[in-house]
Amino acid sequence: MLIRLKSSNTIKMDSIISYVQDKYIEKKEFPDFSAGDSVIVYYEIKEGDGKSRIQFFAGTVIQRRGSGATEMFTVRKMSGNVGVERIFPMNMPSLQKVEVKKRGKVRRARIFYFRKLRGKKARIREKQTLGKRA
């Protein structure tokens, strides 16, 4: 889509959107994580009387999608026998921090098959990292 200004200049809509995103949307620094990682997401909840508190959501990252200001990630946890999924936009103002507890070893970027697994089958192998030996 092209926008015509009063002069004969034409500006692409993508460049306008990227300019606004860079200038006005604040960027938050989060650790690198991907599908299969166990994370704890801390976010702010605002209650009725102007009070706010920090709540956390711990689970496994199912997918990470989008880029820039529209990037989102989905976290899934089991609450009893019921699976609960929550989608978090990366630039959500109430998102406080993301902690990576475990790095998972999976072969896909979106592990939707994880929804059907129960019990021991729902385990994800931990990614081995090379570290210094003591």
Side-chain angles (χ1 to χ4, degrees), residues 42-95:
Y42 294 90
Y43 57 99
E44 188 177 10
I45 300 263
K46 292 190 174 148
E47 296 177 358
D49 300 333
K51 296 179 185 176
S52 66
R53 61 186 173 86
I54 305 283
Q55 185 169 327
F56 67 91
F57 191 88
T60 305
V61 178
I62 296 288
Q63 71 172 341
R64 198 167 168 176
R65 68 170 185 245
S67 63
T70 61
E71 188 172 2
M72 299 181 218
F73 62 99
T74 305
V75 180
R76 179 180 176 85
K77 75 174 183 176
M78 292 300 291
S79 181
N81 287 333
V82 180
V84 179
E85 289 186 10
R86 176 123 194 211
I87 299 171
F88 294 98
M90 285 295 256
N91 65 343
M92 183 168 72
S94 62
L95 196 62

Side-chain angles (χ1 to χ4, degrees), residues 32 37 100-105 125-133:
D32 290 333
D37 294 350
V100 178
K101 287 298 179 190
K102 238 179 14 177
R103 301 261 179 208
K105 182 179 179 183
R125 242 185 290 153
E126 192 168 353
K127 194 181 288 185
Q128 298 293 325
T129 58
L130 298 174
K132 293 181 180 179
R133 291 187 176 184

Side-chain angles (χ1 to χ4, degrees), residues 9-61:
N9 298 337
T10 58
I11 300 173
K12 288 190 176 185
M13 190 63 147
D14 294 338
S15 63
I16 293 174
I17 291 173
S18 63
Y19 171 76
V20 170
Q21 288 175 352
D22 292 341
K23 183 140 178 120
Y24 296 108
I25 295 177
E26 62 185 57
K27 303 242 189 276
K28 294 184 178 181
E29 294 296 321
F30 295 116
D32 290 333
F33 60 92
S34 60
D37 294 350
S38 294
V39 296
I40 300 177
V41 181
Y42 294 90
Y43 57 99
E44 188 177 10
I45 300 263
K46 292 190 174 148
E47 296 177 358
D49 300 333
K51 296 179 185 176
S52 66
R53 61 186 173 86
I54 305 283
Q55 185 169 327
F56 67 91
F57 191 88
T60 305
V61 178

